[in-house]
Amino acid sequence: MTADRNSRTGSGAHGPRWRRRREARPGEILEAALQVFVQRGFAQARMEEIARRAGVTKGTVYLYFASKEELFRAVVRETITPQLELIERIVAEHRGSAAELFRQLVRRWWTVVGETELARLPKLMVAEAANFPELAEFFVREVVQRARGIVGGVLRRGIAAGEFREVDVEAAVRLAVAPLLAAAIYRHSLLPCDSEPWDFQKYLDLHVEFFLRGIARAEASHD
Amino acid sequence: MTADRNSRTGSGAHGPRWRRRREARPGEILEAALQVFVQRGFAQARMEEIARRAGVTKGTVYLYFASKEELFRAVVRETITPQLELIERIVAEHRGSAAELFRQLVRRWWTVVGETELARLPKLMVAEAANFPELAEFFVREVVQRARGIVGGVLRRGIAAGEFREVDVEAAVRLAVAPLLAAAIYRHSLLPCDSEPWDFQKYLDLHVEFFLRGIARAEASHD
Amino acid sequence: MTADRNSRTGSGAHGPRWRRRREARPGEILEAALQVFVQRGFAQARMEEIARRAGVTKGTVYLYFASKEELFRAVVRETITPQLELIERIVAEHRGSAAELFRQLVRRWWTVVGETELARLPKLMVAEAANFPELAEFFVREVVQRARGIVGGVLRRGIAAGEFREVDVEAAVRLAVAPLLAAAIYRHSLLPCDSEPWDFQKYLDLHVEFFLRGIARAEASHD
Amino acid sequence: MTADRNSRTGSGAHGPRWRRRREARPGEILEAALQVFVQRGFAQARMEEIARRAGVTKGTVYLYFASKEELFRAVVRETITPQLELIERIVAEHRGSAAELFRQLVRRWWTVVGETELARLPKLMVAEAANFPELAEFFVREVVQRARGIVGGVLRRGIAAGEFREVDVEAAVRLAVAPLLAAAIYRHSLLPCDSEPWDFQKYLDLHVEFFLRGIARAEASHD
DNA sequence: GATGAATGAGCCTTCATTCAT
DNA sequence: CATGAATGAAGGCTCATTCAT
């Protein structure tokens, strides 16, 4: 039987594709689900639409996820995991002064998160937090607080080095992150309904400039 | 809009009766609806719960609002109207330097919006924008763009007065507003699931400080 | 409001009918449900069919019963209650010798239970016991064991009076009841598929005769 | 039926292969199916559970049985066949007086049916009769009526020999069988939910004793 | 105006059945 | 022969909406 299968697999060109597809199913479904959940919200999202976008039928989704809620949880978790790794990679890769590190952090964040599908997650969590408290808690713990920790570390490093003023780190961290989250959330919610464009590049550059000017010790030269 | 309403109330014969309804019971229903919509989101909000909180029965709601969607639209419009008035009053009442005006603006915004139930609206709109594009458009036009106009005016005034640098106003406006919206949204979504507290007072003070330092011309002294 | 309602109720001729109907709804649904559950079994019974037989639509059933399972439980409980009362009335009303009492008991049981809709319940419970253990337990406790108690009392009375032999009462009770239950169950399950008729009257008479002969003290020699 | 099958197996060329299948895997599947059908009822029985218990996958079951209904029919038929043979063997093997034959019949019935898995069948048929009329008819014809014929023969033999009174045979037959069926049905339905035990040995002995006393010619006075 | 019983469309979920491998 | 991924029809349940009172 195995031999049979192998011999066939080795010959044709149609066999492998099928197999590859099967193994990719959960991934395809998660991707489709992320899109639909983000677009419609949990309650309005229909399992049939998710299935259709994943190229399968309603029943198939239930072969991989026990319920709509479980699918939602899986979407959040699976989307968060790579996000965590990206965040850590960003901070690990960067060197130089605290100011330069902050600048790089913001730039990289926008490249790997803000501009990608991952940026849809904050909006989704904000919208569904009340309905999925334990998921929101998970998100806050694994993403928000972790991100705060990273940024806080950078700020504290700058303060210790005498590069930054001795500001309230907790407030400063939130202030550093807020414009990034606001941009990500707005982009995937109200921006499509906004007649005025939003130049994120200029916006982020200005954020970095203002923030560094704000936190810089004394006569600090910027740019 | 308010003037409009009053003038009509005084004239016709069919208008008034209808008006009176919309000002007695409807007010209670709108209030209840805002709470429920904000707490659960549009889809999860149940008409029965809204009715119960308003102290009426399900059927009664339909005497005033044709459908759940119409009720939602009414909630948004009715909630936005006073918000707009408040924003305008804030900017109209304030005097002094552009920097001082900005500081006052942020303070007042937090007092009349951020700390009140009105702050729940941004989160609601963010969550439902995809499902109610024309409502989102209305919100963007009547609230977001208007707010931008106000802040933009303050910034331009400062630039013209030589008080602020000649920064990209569009980007600066968004940067000035983002931390306010982020705080309002976070407060009513993820904050209840967050183990770490958020001192909004310090946060807002730091925002004002950093922003003014950032936009200040040259060796500007602050605080 | 209450006065309003009363005054109206007292006047018209069309009002009351509507009202009476509303109050009878749960009863009508239970009746329809008993029929369908008994005919199809719990799993095969469709809520829509129950609703149709009760003269309402699907949704209406859920105004009175939270789920299909709750409806089923209610059917069993509501059907059992009158059955209990009937059983007790039967035994309370009868007088005379233990033998005569037994004869009357069997006759009355057939009249008020065996021949009526109540006789459908045993079959239903037998079929669903594995799926509703707690309901089966309820049925056993409230009906089966209670019935055994009544019959056991009669037998013990006969034994004490020297009218009956000193047989094993537990076994005798089950033996007295078994033919009644078998008849009720068979009648509502396999009998419609049986080409041979079943004369219940003769059958029950013979049961009484054989049972009394069997338990009678007498000088009867056998074996 | 058995002879029929064997003759066919020996002849054709297409039959045998099919036969072999039905005698290897199908046996395990039928056994598993009987368990599951009996435990859950037809509707609640899931093909996957049957397959799992038989040690195969869902798809395999369909290699042998066209549908769930066909599988159910096969289960009933296959379970009935050996039962029929057993019943016949019982009656064929026994000798002696009609009374003794009856006593042996009841004893053997309990040994080969009542105590075994076969006893589950009556409950299953009772529960599913309404949903499978033609199967119920088959069961009634092949089991119930056949059993009645056997018992009726014994009774008639006893009457002819002057051993038994000239009772209504049809009623007496049903009376003789009812306690057996009642015990089998109760055992596999409500008994697990019954706090009171049931000593089947004493019960059956008493049934034989009472029944024989009841039908005995003797000089027994009663009433 | 207000009620609340009733409706019925819509959606999640299950599971018998199919079929490419 | 056997697998198990995939299908899709069926049915329980919800809830926005209607309407007789």
Side-chain angles (χ1 to χ4, degrees):
Chain A
M1 213 154 82
T2 308
D4 221 56
R5 200 177 281 174
N6 286 341
S7 67
R8 248 187 282 171
T9 309
S11 61
H14 55 290
R17 205 180 335 146
W18 222 77
R19 190 143 293 281
R20 220 177 301 140
R21 228 183 176 180
R22 251 185 209 165
E23 276 149 20
R25 274 289 133 77
E28 291 168 9
I29 293 171
L30 283 169
E31 209 172 321
L34 174 60
Q35 285 175 31
V36 178
F37 280 137
V38 156
Q39 199 169 106
R40 305 248 196 277
F42 177 78
Q44 294 281 63
R46 275 182 275 154
M47 290 300 269
E48 197 158 22
E49 188 179 356
I50 292 171
R52 198 183 336 114
R53 287 208 200 183
V56 297
T57 55
K58 249 189 311 184
T60 304
V61 180
Y62 287 89
L63 292 178
Y64 300 99
F65 305 97
S67 68
K68 192 182 178 183
E69 284 205 21
E70 278 313 310
L71 175 57
F72 184 69
R73 279 181 240 277
V75 164
V76 173
R77 277 174 227 270
E78 295 294 315
T79 310
I80 281 173
T81 302
Q83 205 169 22
L84 293 178
E85 292 166 1
L86 282 165
I87 288 173
E88 294 187 327
R89 207 177 311 154
I90 291 169
V91 87
E93 286 174 3
H94 292 286
R95 305 278 172 263
S97 69
E100 184 53 31
L101 187 50
F102 179 75
R103 190 191 314 277
Q104 297 288 344
L105 216 53
V106 172
R107 256 183 217 157
R108 287 298 312 265
W109 181 84
W110 187 251
T111 311
V112 299
V113 178
E115 279 186 344
T116 69
E117 290 296 292
L118 296 174
R120 295 176 175 280
L121 204 55
K123 187 224 130 182
L124 186 57
M125 287 315 305
V126 156
E128 302 298 339
N131 297 322
F132 294 88
E134 92 288 357
L135 215 53
E137 209 177 318
F138 174 76
F139 179 79
V140 165
R141 201 177 342 107
E142 298 297 320
V143 179
V144 179
Q145 297 186 347
R146 198 149 176 176
R148 279 183 198 146
I150 291 168
V151 175
V154 174
L155 298 189
R156 263 182 276 268
R157 204 194 302 183
I159 294 170
E163 198 182 341
F164 295 159
R165 291 188 294 142
E166 291 196 4
V167 297
D168 183 310
V169 174
E170 284 311 305
V173 162
R174 283 162 173 80
L175 205 49
V177 171
L180 304 184
L181 284 179
I185 290 172
Y186 196 85
R187 184 184 203 192
H188 296 292
S189 58
L190 295 170
L191 190 57
C193 305
D194 194 339
S195 58
E196 301 175 359
W198 182 324
D199 185 329
F200 290 107
Q201 221 50 60
K202 278 189 187 161
Y203 168 81
L204 292 174
D205 285 348
L206 199 66
H207 169 46
V208 170
E209 185 188 331
F210 277 26
F211 187 84
L212 290 180
R213 269 193 149 211
I215 204 170
R217 174 169 292 281
E219 73 294 80
S221 72
H222 52 89
D223 166 69
Chain B
M1 214 155 127
T2 308
D4 224 55
R5 198 179 282 177
N6 287 339
S7 67
R8 247 189 280 167
T9 307
S11 61
H14 57 289
R17 192 158 20 119
W18 205 77
R19 277 294 151 210
R20 226 176 297 141
R21 279 197 228 158
R22 281 197 92 90
E23 278 156 16
R25 280 260 177 260
E28 293 165 14
I29 293 171
L30 283 169
E31 209 171 323
L34 174 60
Q35 285 175 32
V36 179
F37 279 136
V38 147
Q39 202 170 99
R40 306 244 197 278
F42 177 78
Q44 294 279 67
R46 273 179 284 143
M47 294 297 271
E48 194 159 26
E49 188 178 358
I50 292 171
R52 200 187 330 119
R53 288 206 199 185
V56 297
T57 57
K58 250 192 305 184
T60 304
V61 179
Y62 286 87
L63 292 177
Y64 301 101
F65 306 96
S67 68
K68 189 183 180 184
E69 287 202 16
E70 279 312 313
L71 175 57
F72 184 66
R73 280 181 242 277
V75 165
V76 173
R77 280 173 227 269
E78 296 293 317
T79 309
I80 281 172
T81 302
Q83 204 170 22
L84 292 178
E85 293 166 0
L86 283 164
I87 287 172
E88 295 185 327
R89 206 178 309 152
I90 291 168
V91 87
E93 286 174 3
H94 290 286
R95 305 278 174 263
S97 69
E100 185 53 29
L101 186 51
F102 178 74
R103 192 192 313 277
Q104 296 289 343
L105 216 53
V106 171
R107 259 183 214 157
R108 289 295 313 265
W109 180 84
W110 187 250
T111 311
V112 299
V113 179
E115 278 186 344
T116 69
E117 290 297 292
L118 296 175
R120 294 176 176 277
L121 205 56
K123 187 221 127 184
L124 185 57
M125 289 313 303
V126 157
E128 303 297 340
N131 296 321
F132 295 88
E134 92 290 357
L135 211 56
E137 212 176 316
F138 173 79
F139 180 79
V140 165
R141 199 175 346 104
E142 297 297 319
V143 179
V144 180
Q145 297 184 350
R146 197 151 175 176
R148 279 185 199 144
I150 292 168
V151 175
V154 174
L155 297 190
R156 263 182 279 269
R157 201 193 301 184
I159 292 170
E163 196 181 343
F164 295 160
R165 291 189 291 142
E166 292 195 4
V167 296
D168 182 309
V169 175
E170 284 312 305
V173 162
R174 284 163 172 80
L175 204 49
V177 171
L180 303 184
L181 285 179
I185 290 172
Y186 196 86
R187 184 184 202 191
H188 296 293
S189 57
L190 295 170
L191 190 57
C193 305
D194 194 339
S195 58
E196 301 175 0
W198 183 322
D199 186 328
F200 290 107
Q201 219 51 60
K202 277 190 186 159
Y203 168 81
L204 291 173
D205 286 348
L206 200 65
H207 169 47
V208 170
E209 185 188 334
F210 277 26
F211 187 84
L212 290 179
R213 269 196 150 207
I215 204 170
R217 173 168 293 282
E219 72 295 77
S221 72
H222 56 91
D223 176 58
Chain C
M1 214 154 93
T2 308
D4 221 57
R5 200 177 279 176
N6 287 340
S7 67
R8 247 189 283 169
T9 308
S11 62
H14 55 290
R17 203 181 336 145
W18 223 79
R19 190 142 295 280
R20 219 177 301 141
R21 228 185 179 177
R22 252 184 207 167
E23 275 150 20
R25 273 290 132 79
E28 291 168 9
I29 293 170
L30 283 169
E31 210 171 322
L34 174 60
Q35 285 175 31
V36 178
F37 280 137
V38 154
Q39 199 170 102
R40 304 247 196 278
F42 176 77
Q44 294 280 63
R46 276 182 275 153
M47 292 300 270
E48 197 158 24
E49 188 179 356
I50 292 171
R52 200 185 330 118
R53 287 206 200 184
V56 297
T57 55
K58 247 190 313 183
T60 303
V61 179
Y62 288 89
L63 293 177
Y64 300 99
F65 305 97
S67 68
K68 191 182 178 184
E69 283 204 20
E70 278 313 311
L71 175 57
F72 184 68
R73 280 181 241 278
V75 165
V76 173
R77 277 173 227 271
E78 294 295 314
T79 310
I80 281 172
T81 302
Q83 203 170 25
L84 292 178
E85 291 165 2
L86 283 165
I87 288 174
E88 294 188 327
R89 207 177 311 154
I90 291 169
V91 87
E93 286 173 3
H94 292 287
R95 305 277 175 265
S97 68
E100 185 52 30
L101 186 49
F102 179 75
R103 191 190 314 277
Q104 296 287 345
L105 215 52
V106 172
R107 257 183 216 157
R108 288 297 313 266
W109 180 84
W110 187 250
T111 309
V112 300
V113 179
E115 277 186 344
T116 70
E117 290 296 292
L118 297 175
R120 295 177 176 279
L121 205 56
K123 187 223 129 181
L124 186 57
M125 288 314 305
V126 157
E128 302 299 338
N131 296 321
F132 294 88
E134 92 289 358
L135 213 55
E137 211 177 318
F138 174 78
F139 179 79
V140 165
R141 201 177 342 104
E142 296 298 318
V143 179
V144 179
Q145 297 185 350
R146 199 149 173 176
R148 279 183 199 146
I150 292 168
V151 175
V154 174
L155 298 189
R156 264 182 278 267
R157 202 195 300 185
I159 293 170
E163 197 182 341
F164 294 158
R165 291 188 292 143
E166 291 196 3
V167 296
D168 183 310
V169 174
E170 283 312 305
V173 161
R174 284 163 173 78
L175 205 50
V177 170
L180 303 184
L181 285 179
I185 290 172
Y186 196 85
R187 183 183 202 191
H188 295 293
S189 57
L190 295 169
L191 190 57
C193 305
D194 194 339
S195 57
E196 301 176 0
W198 182 322
D199 186 329
F200 290 108
Q201 220 50 60
K202 277 188 186 162
Y203 169 81
L204 291 173
D205 285 349
L206 200 65
H207 169 46
V208 170
E209 185 188 332
F210 276 27
F211 187 84
L212 290 180
R213 270 194 150 209
I215 205 172
R217 176 161 288 281
E219 60 287 61
S221 77
H222 61 96
D223 175 62
Chain D
M1 213 157 122
T2 307
D4 224 55
R5 196 178 283 178
N6 287 341
S7 67
R8 248 189 281 165
T9 308
S11 62
H14 56 289
R17 194 158 18 119
W18 205 76
R19 277 292 152 210
R20 226 176 297 141
R21 280 199 227 155
R22 284 196 90 90
E23 278 156 17
R25 280 259 177 260
E28 292 165 14
I29 294 172
L30 284 168
E31 209 171 323
L34 174 61
Q35 285 176 31
V36 178
F37 279 135
V38 149
Q39 202 169 100
R40 306 245 195 279
F42 176 77
Q44 293 280 65
R46 275 179 284 145
M47 292 298 271
E48 194 158 26
E49 188 178 358
I50 292 171
R52 198 185 334 117
R53 287 207 200 185
V56 296
T57 57
K58 250 194 303 186
T60 304
V61 178
Y62 285 87
L63 292 177
Y64 302 100
F65 305 97
S67 69
K68 191 184 180 183
E69 287 202 18
E70 278 313 312
L71 175 57
F72 184 66
R73 279 181 242 278
V75 165
V76 173
R77 279 173 226 269
E78 297 292 318
T79 310
I80 282 172
T81 303
Q83 205 170 23
L84 293 177
E85 292 166 0
L86 283 164
I87 289 173
E88 293 186 327
R89 207 177 309 153
I90 291 168
V91 87
E93 286 174 1
H94 291 286
R95 305 280 171 265
S97 68
E100 185 53 31
L101 187 49
F102 178 75
R103 190 192 314 277
Q104 296 289 344
L105 216 52
V106 171
R107 257 183 217 159
R108 287 298 312 266
W109 181 84
W110 187 250
T111 310
V112 299
V113 179
E115 278 186 344
T116 69
E117 290 297 293
L118 297 175
R120 294 176 176 279
L121 205 56
K123 186 222 128 185
L124 185 58
M125 288 314 304
V126 157
E128 302 298 340
N131 294 323
F132 295 87
E134 93 289 357
L135 211 54
E137 209 177 318
F138 173 78
F139 180 79
V140 165
R141 200 177 344 107
E142 297 297 318
V143 178
V144 180
Q145 297 185 348
R146 197 151 175 176
R148 279 184 199 145
I150 292 167
V151 175
V154 173
L155 298 190
R156 263 182 277 270
R157 204 195 299 184
I159 293 170
E163 199 181 341
F164 295 158
R165 290 188 294 143
E166 290 195 5
V167 296
D168 182 310
V169 175
E170 284 312 304
V173 161
R174 284 163 173 79
L175 204 51
V177 170
L180 304 184
L181 285 179
I185 290 173
Y186 195 86
R187 183 184 202 190
H188 296 293
S189 57
L190 295 170
L191 190 57
C193 306
D194 193 340
S195 58
E196 301 175 359
W198 182 323
D199 186 330
F200 290 108
Q201 221 50 59
K202 276 189 186 161
Y203 168 81
L204 291 174
D205 286 349
L206 200 65
H207 168 47
V208 170
E209 185 188 332
F210 276 26
F211 187 84
L212 290 180
R213 267 194 151 210
I215 203 171
R217 177 161 287 282
E219 62 287 59
S221 75
H222 58 93
D223 172 63

